[in-house]
CSV table of all heavy atoms in Angstrom, one decimal:
chain,number,residue,atom,x,y,z
A,1,GLU,N,-102.1,-26.0,109.5
A,1,GLU,CA,-102.7,-27.1,110.2
A,1,GLU,C,-101.7,-28.3,110.3
A,1,GLU,O,-101.6,-28.9,111.4
A,1,GLU,CB,-103.9,-27.6,109.5
A,1,GLU,CG,-104.7,-28.6,110.3
A,1,GLU,CD,-106.0,-28.9,109.7
A,1,GLU,OE1,-106.1,-29.6,108.7
A,1,GLU,OE2,-107.0,-28.5,110.3
A,2,HIS,N,-100.9,-28.6,109.3
A,2,HIS,CA,-100.0,-29.7,109.4
A,2,HIS,C,-98.5,-29.3,109.1
A,2,HIS,O,-97.7,-30.2,108.7
A,2,HIS,CB,-100.4,-30.8,108.3
A,2,HIS,CG,-101.8,-31.3,108.6
A,2,HIS,ND1,-102.1,-32.1,109.6
A,2,HIS,CD2,-103.0,-31.1,107.9
A,2,HIS,CE1,-103.4,-32.3,109.6
A,2,HIS,NE2,-104.0,-31.7,108.6
A,3,HIS,N,-98.2,-28.1,109.3
A,3,HIS,CA,-96.8,-27.6,108.9
A,3,HIS,C,-96.5,-26.3,109.6
A,3,HIS,O,-97.4,-25.5,109.7
A,3,HIS,CB,-96.7,-27.5,107.4
A,3,HIS,CG,-95.4,-27.1,106.9
A,3,HIS,ND1,-94.4,-28.0,106.8
A,3,HIS,CD2,-94.9,-25.9,106.4
A,3,HIS,CE1,-93.3,-27.4,106.3
A,3,HIS,NE2,-93.6,-26.2,106.0
A,4,GLU,N,-95.2,-26.2,110.0
A,4,GLU,CA,-94.8,-24.9,110.5
A,4,GLU,C,-93.6,-24.5,109.7
A,4,GLU,O,-92.6,-25.3,109.5
A,4,GLU,CB,-94.4,-25.0,112.0
A,4,GLU,CG,-93.9,-23.7,112.6
A,4,GLU,CD,-93.8,-23.7,114.1
A,4,GLU,OE1,-92.7,-24.2,114.5
A,4,GLU,OE2,-94.6,-23.3,114.8
A,5,HIS,N,-93.5,-23.3,109.2
A,5,HIS,CA,-92.5,-22.8,108.3
A,5,HIS,C,-91.8,-21.6,109.0
A,5,HIS,O,-92.5,-20.7,109.4
A,5,HIS,CB,-93.1,-22.4,107.0
A,5,HIS,CG,-92.0,-21.9,106.0
A,5,HIS,ND1,-91.2,-22.7,105.3
A,5,HIS,CD2,-91.7,-20.6,105.6
A,5,HIS,CE1,-90.4,-22.0,104.5
A,5,HIS,NE2,-90.7,-20.7,104.7
A,6,ILE,N,-90.5,-21.7,109.2
A,6,ILE,CA,-89.8,-20.6,109.9
A,6,ILE,C,-88.8,-19.9,108.9
A,6,ILE,O,-88.0,-20.6,108.3
A,6,ILE,CB,-89.0,-21.1,111.1
A,6,ILE,CG1,-90.1,-21.7,112.1
A,6,ILE,CG2,-88.2,-20.0,111.8
A,6,ILE,CD1,-89.5,-22.4,113.3
A,7,VAL,N,-88.8,-18.6,108.9
A,7,VAL,CA,-87.8,-17.9,108.1
A,7,VAL,C,-86.9,-17.1,109.1
A,7,VAL,O,-87.4,-16.2,109.8
A,7,VAL,CB,-88.5,-16.8,107.2
A,7,VAL,CG1,-87.4,-16.1,106.4
A,7,VAL,CG2,-89.5,-17.5,106.3
A,8,PRO,N,-85.6,-17.6,109.3
A,8,PRO,CA,-84.7,-16.9,110.2
A,8,PRO,C,-84.2,-15.6,109.7
A,8,PRO,O,-83.9,-15.4,108.5
A,8,PRO,CB,-83.6,-17.9,110.4
A,8,PRO,CG,-83.6,-18.7,109.1
A,8,PRO,CD,-85.0,-18.7,108.6
A,9,LYS,N,-84.1,-14.6,110.6
A,9,LYS,CA,-83.5,-13.3,110.3
A,9,LYS,C,-84.0,-12.7,109.0
A,9,LYS,O,-83.2,-12.4,108.1
A,9,LYS,CB,-82.0,-13.4,110.3
A,9,LYS,CG,-81.5,-13.9,111.7
A,9,LYS,CD,-80.0,-13.9,111.7
A,9,LYS,CE,-79.4,-14.4,113.0
A,9,LYS,NZ,-80.2,-14.9,114.1
A,10,PRO,N,-85.3,-12.5,108.8
A,10,PRO,CA,-85.8,-11.8,107.6
A,10,PRO,C,-85.3,-10.4,107.5
A,10,PRO,O,-85.1,-9.7,108.5
A,10,PRO,CB,-87.3,-11.9,107.8
A,10,PRO,CG,-87.6,-12.0,109.2
A,10,PRO,CD,-86.4,-12.7,109.8
A,11,LYS,N,-85.0,-10.0,106.3
A,11,LYS,CA,-84.6,-8.6,106.1
A,11,LYS,C,-85.7,-7.7,105.6
A,11,LYS,O,-85.6,-6.5,105.7
A,11,LYS,CB,-83.4,-8.5,105.2
A,11,LYS,CG,-83.6,-8.8,103.7
A,11,LYS,CD,-82.3,-8.5,102.9
A,11,LYS,CE,-82.6,-8.7,101.4
A,11,LYS,NZ,-81.4,-8.4,100.6
A,12,GLU,N,-86.8,-8.3,105.0
A,12,GLU,CA,-87.9,-7.5,104.5
A,12,GLU,C,-89.2,-8.3,104.5
A,12,GLU,O,-89.1,-9.5,104.2
A,12,GLU,CB,-87.6,-7.0,103.1
A,12,GLU,CG,-88.7,-6.1,102.5
A,12,GLU,CD,-88.3,-5.6,101.1
A,12,GLU,OE1,-87.5,-4.7,101.0
A,12,GLU,OE2,-88.8,-6.2,100.1
A,13,ILE,N,-90.3,-7.7,104.8
A,13,ILE,CA,-91.6,-8.3,104.7
A,13,ILE,C,-92.5,-7.3,104.1
A,13,ILE,O,-92.6,-6.2,104.4
A,13,ILE,CB,-92.1,-8.7,106.1
A,13,ILE,CG1,-91.2,-9.7,106.8
A,13,ILE,CG2,-93.5,-9.3,106.0
A,13,ILE,CD1,-91.6,-10.1,108.2
A,14,ALA,N,-93.2,-7.9,103.0
A,14,ALA,CA,-94.2,-7.1,102.3
A,14,ALA,C,-95.5,-7.8,102.3
A,14,ALA,O,-95.5,-9.0,102.3
A,14,ALA,CB,-93.7,-6.8,100.9
A,15,VAL,N,-96.6,-7.1,102.2
A,15,VAL,CA,-97.9,-7.7,102.1
A,15,VAL,C,-98.6,-7.2,100.9
A,15,VAL,O,-98.4,-6.0,100.5
A,15,VAL,CB,-98.8,-7.4,103.4
A,15,VAL,CG1,-98.2,-8.1,104.6
A,15,VAL,CG2,-99.0,-5.9,103.6
A,16,ASP,N,-99.4,-8.0,100.3
A,16,ASP,CA,-100.2,-7.7,99.1
A,16,ASP,C,-101.6,-7.8,99.5
A,16,ASP,O,-102.1,-8.8,99.9
A,16,ASP,CB,-99.9,-8.7,98.0
A,16,ASP,CG,-100.6,-8.4,96.7
A,16,ASP,OD1,-101.3,-7.3,96.6
A,16,ASP,OD2,-100.6,-9.2,95.7
A,17,GLU,N,-102.3,-6.6,99.5
A,17,GLU,CA,-103.7,-6.6,99.9
A,17,GLU,C,-104.5,-5.8,99.0
A,17,GLU,O,-104.1,-5.0,98.2
A,17,GLU,CB,-103.8,-6.0,101.4
A,17,GLU,CG,-103.3,-4.6,101.6
A,17,GLU,CD,-103.4,-4.2,103.0
A,17,GLU,OE1,-104.4,-4.6,103.7
A,17,GLU,OE2,-102.5,-3.5,103.5
A,18,ASP,N,-105.8,-6.2,99.0
A,18,ASP,CA,-106.8,-5.5,98.2
A,18,ASP,C,-108.0,-5.2,99.1
A,18,ASP,O,-107.9,-5.4,100.4
A,18,ASP,CB,-107.2,-6.2,97.0
A,18,ASP,CG,-107.8,-7.6,97.2
A,18,ASP,OD1,-108.2,-7.9,98.4
A,18,ASP,OD2,-107.9,-8.4,96.3
A,19,VAL,N,-109.1,-4.8,98.6
A,19,VAL,CA,-110.3,-4.5,99.4
A,19,VAL,C,-110.8,-5.7,100.2
A,19,VAL,O,-111.5,-5.5,101.2
A,19,VAL,CB,-111.5,-3.9,98.6
A,19,VAL,CG1,-111.0,-2.6,98.0
A,19,VAL,CG2,-111.9,-4.8,97.5
A,20,THR,N,-110.5,-6.9,99.8
A,20,THR,CA,-110.9,-8.1,100.5
A,20,THR,C,-110.0,-8.5,101.7
A,20,THR,O,-110.3,-9.3,102.4
A,20,THR,CB,-111.2,-9.3,99.6
A,20,THR,OG1,-109.9,-9.6,99.0
A,20,THR,CG2,-112.2,-9.0,98.5
A,21,GLY,N,-108.8,-7.9,101.7
A,21,GLY,CA,-107.8,-8.2,102.7
A,21,GLY,C,-106.5,-8.6,102.2
A,21,GLY,O,-106.2,-8.4,101.0
A,22,ILE,N,-105.7,-9.3,103.0
A,22,ILE,CA,-104.4,-9.7,102.7
A,22,ILE,C,-104.4,-10.9,101.7
A,22,ILE,O,-105.1,-11.9,102.0
A,22,ILE,CB,-103.5,-10.1,103.9
A,22,ILE,CG1,-103.5,-9.0,104.9
A,22,ILE,CG2,-102.1,-10.6,103.5
A,22,ILE,CD1,-102.6,-7.8,104.5
A,23,LYS,N,-103.8,-10.8,100.5
A,23,LYS,CA,-103.8,-11.9,99.6
A,23,LYS,C,-102.5,-12.7,99.7
A,23,LYS,O,-102.5,-13.9,99.4
A,23,LYS,CB,-103.9,-11.4,98.2
A,23,LYS,CG,-105.2,-10.7,97.9
A,23,LYS,CD,-105.4,-10.3,96.4
A,23,LYS,CE,-104.2,-9.7,95.8
A,23,LYS,NZ,-104.4,-9.2,94.4
A,24,ALA,N,-101.4,-12.0,100.0
A,24,ALA,CA,-100.1,-12.7,100.1
A,24,ALA,C,-99.1,-11.9,101.0
A,24,ALA,O,-99.3,-10.7,101.2
A,24,ALA,CB,-99.5,-12.9,98.7
A,25,VAL,N,-98.2,-12.7,101.6
A,25,VAL,CA,-97.1,-12.1,102.4
A,25,VAL,C,-95.8,-12.6,101.7
A,25,VAL,O,-95.7,-13.8,101.5
A,25,VAL,CB,-97.2,-12.5,103.9
A,25,VAL,CG1,-96.0,-12.0,104.6
A,25,VAL,CG2,-98.5,-12.1,104.5
A,26,GLU,N,-94.9,-11.7,101.5
A,26,GLU,CA,-93.6,-12.0,101.0
A,26,GLU,C,-92.5,-11.7,102.0
A,26,GLU,O,-92.4,-10.6,102.4
A,26,GLU,CB,-93.3,-11.3,99.7
A,26,GLU,CG,-91.9,-11.7,99.1
A,26,GLU,CD,-91.7,-10.9,97.8
A,26,GLU,OE1,-92.1,-11.4,96.7
A,26,GLU,OE2,-91.0,-9.8,97.9
A,27,VAL,N,-91.7,-12.7,102.4
A,27,VAL,CA,-90.7,-12.6,103.4
A,27,VAL,C,-89.4,-12.8,102.7
A,27,VAL,O,-89.2,-13.9,102.1
A,27,VAL,CB,-90.9,-13.6,104.6
A,27,VAL,CG1,-89.8,-13.3,105.7
A,27,VAL,CG2,-92.3,-13.4,105.2
A,28,VAL,N,-88.4,-11.9,102.8
A,28,VAL,CA,-87.2,-12.0,102.1
A,28,VAL,C,-86.1,-12.3,103.1
A,28,VAL,O,-85.9,-11.5,104.1
A,28,VAL,CB,-86.8,-10.7,101.3
A,28,VAL,CG1,-85.5,-10.9,100.5
A,28,VAL,CG2,-88.0,-10.4,100.3
A,29,GLU,N,-85.3,-13.3,102.9
A,29,GLU,CA,-84.2,-13.7,103.8
A,29,GLU,C,-83.0,-12.8,103.4
A,29,GLU,O,-82.9,-12.1,102.4
A,29,GLU,CB,-83.7,-15.1,103.5
A,29,GLU,CG,-84.5,-16.2,104.1
A,29,GLU,CD,-83.9,-17.6,103.9
A,29,GLU,OE1,-82.8,-17.8,104.4
A,29,GLU,OE2,-84.5,-18.4,103.2
A,30,GLN,N,-81.9,-12.8,104.3
A,30,GLN,CA,-80.7,-12.0,104.1
A,30,GLN,C,-80.1,-12.4,102.7
A,30,GLN,O,-79.5,-11.5,102.1
A,30,GLN,CB,-79.7,-12.3,105.2
A,30,GLN,CG,-80.2,-11.8,106.6
A,30,GLN,CD,-80.4,-10.3,106.7
A,30,GLN,OE1,-79.6,-9.6,106.1
A,30,GLN,NE2,-81.4,-9.9,107.4
A,31,ASN,N,-80.1,-13.6,102.3
A,31,ASN,CA,-79.5,-14.0,101.0
A,31,ASN,C,-80.4,-13.8,99.8
A,31,ASN,O,-80.0,-14.1,98.7
A,31,ASN,CB,-79.1,-15.5,101.1
A,31,ASN,CG,-80.3,-16.5,101.1
A,31,ASN,OD1,-81.4,-16.0,101.0
A,31,ASN,ND2,-80.0,-17.7,101.2
A,32,GLY,N,-81.5,-13.2,100.0
A,32,GLY,CA,-82.4,-12.8,98.9
A,32,GLY,C,-83.5,-13.8,98.6
A,32,GLY,O,-84.4,-13.6,97.7
A,33,THR,N,-83.4,-15.0,99.2
A,33,THR,CA,-84.5,-16.0,99.0
A,33,THR,C,-85.8,-15.5,99.5
A,33,THR,O,-85.9,-14.9,100.6
A,33,THR,CB,-84.1,-17.3,99.8
A,33,THR,OG1,-82.9,-17.8,99.2
A,33,THR,CG2,-85.2,-18.4,99.6
A,34,LYS,N,-86.9,-15.7,98.7
A,34,LYS,CA,-88.2,-15.1,99.0
A,34,LYS,C,-89.1,-16.3,99.4
A,34,LYS,O,-89.1,-17.3,98.8
A,34,LYS,CB,-88.8,-14.4,97.8
A,34,LYS,CG,-88.1,-13.2,97.4
A,34,LYS,CD,-88.7,-12.6,96.2
A,34,LYS,CE,-87.9,-11.4,95.7
A,34,LYS,NZ,-88.4,-10.8,94.5
A,35,HIS,N,-89.8,-16.1,100.5
A,35,HIS,CA,-90.8,-17.0,101.0
A,35,HIS,C,-92.2,-16.3,100.8
A,35,HIS,O,-92.4,-15.3,101.4
A,35,HIS,CB,-90.6,-17.3,102.4
A,35,HIS,CG,-89.3,-17.9,102.7
A,35,HIS,ND1,-89.1,-19.2,103.1
A,35,HIS,CD2,-88.0,-17.3,102.7
A,35,HIS,CE1,-87.8,-19.4,103.2
A,35,HIS,NE2,-87.1,-18.3,103.0
A,36,ILE,N,-93.0,-16.9,99.9
A,36,ILE,CA,-94.3,-16.3,99.5
A,36,ILE,C,-95.4,-17.1,100.1
A,36,ILE,O,-95.5,-18.3,99.8
A,36,ILE,CB,-94.4,-16.1,98.0
A,36,ILE,CG1,-93.2,-15.3,97.5
A,36,ILE,CG2,-95.8,-15.5,97.7
A,36,ILE,CD1,-93.0,-15.5,96.0
A,37,ILE,N,-96.2,-16.5,101.0
A,37,ILE,CA,-97.3,-17.1,101.6
A,37,ILE,C,-98.6,-16.6,100.9
A,37,ILE,O,-98.9,-15.4,101.1
A,37,ILE,CB,-97.4,-16.9,103.1
A,37,ILE,CG1,-96.1,-17.4,103.8
A,37,ILE,CG2,-98.6,-17.6,103.7
A,37,ILE,CD1,-95.0,-16.4,103.9
A,38,LYS,N,-99.2,-17.4,100.1
A,38,LYS,CA,-100.4,-17.0,99.4
A,38,LYS,C,-101.7,-17.5,100.2
A,38,LYS,O,-101.7,-18.7,100.5
A,38,LYS,CB,-100.5,-17.7,98.0
A,38,LYS,CG,-99.3,-17.2,97.1
A,38,LYS,CD,-99.4,-18.0,95.8
A,38,LYS,CE,-98.1,-17.6,94.9
A,38,LYS,NZ,-98.1,-18.4,93.7
């Protein structure tokens, strides 16, 4: 709502989900930095 977050050139994206749906998304940059959206 009040922020936009951009990860340039991601090398990997993983999702953590259970029966209720997606709980988190992890986006890994080329340098290994992880962006975790809970």
Side-chain angles (χ1 to χ4, degrees):
E1 187 172 75
H2 301 289
H3 184 74
E4 184 173 80
H5 181 78
I6 298 174
V7 181
K9 300 182 180 7
K11 73 174 183 178
E12 182 179 281
I13 300 177
V15 294
D16 183 5
E17 63 184 321
D18 62 14
V19 294
T20 62
I22 304 287
K23 298 188 311 183
V25 176
E26 180 180 273
V27 183
V28 182
E29 281 186 66
Q30 297 295 324
N31 68 2
T33 299
K34 296 178 182 178
H35 302 253
I36 303 163
I37 300 92
K38 298 176 185 175

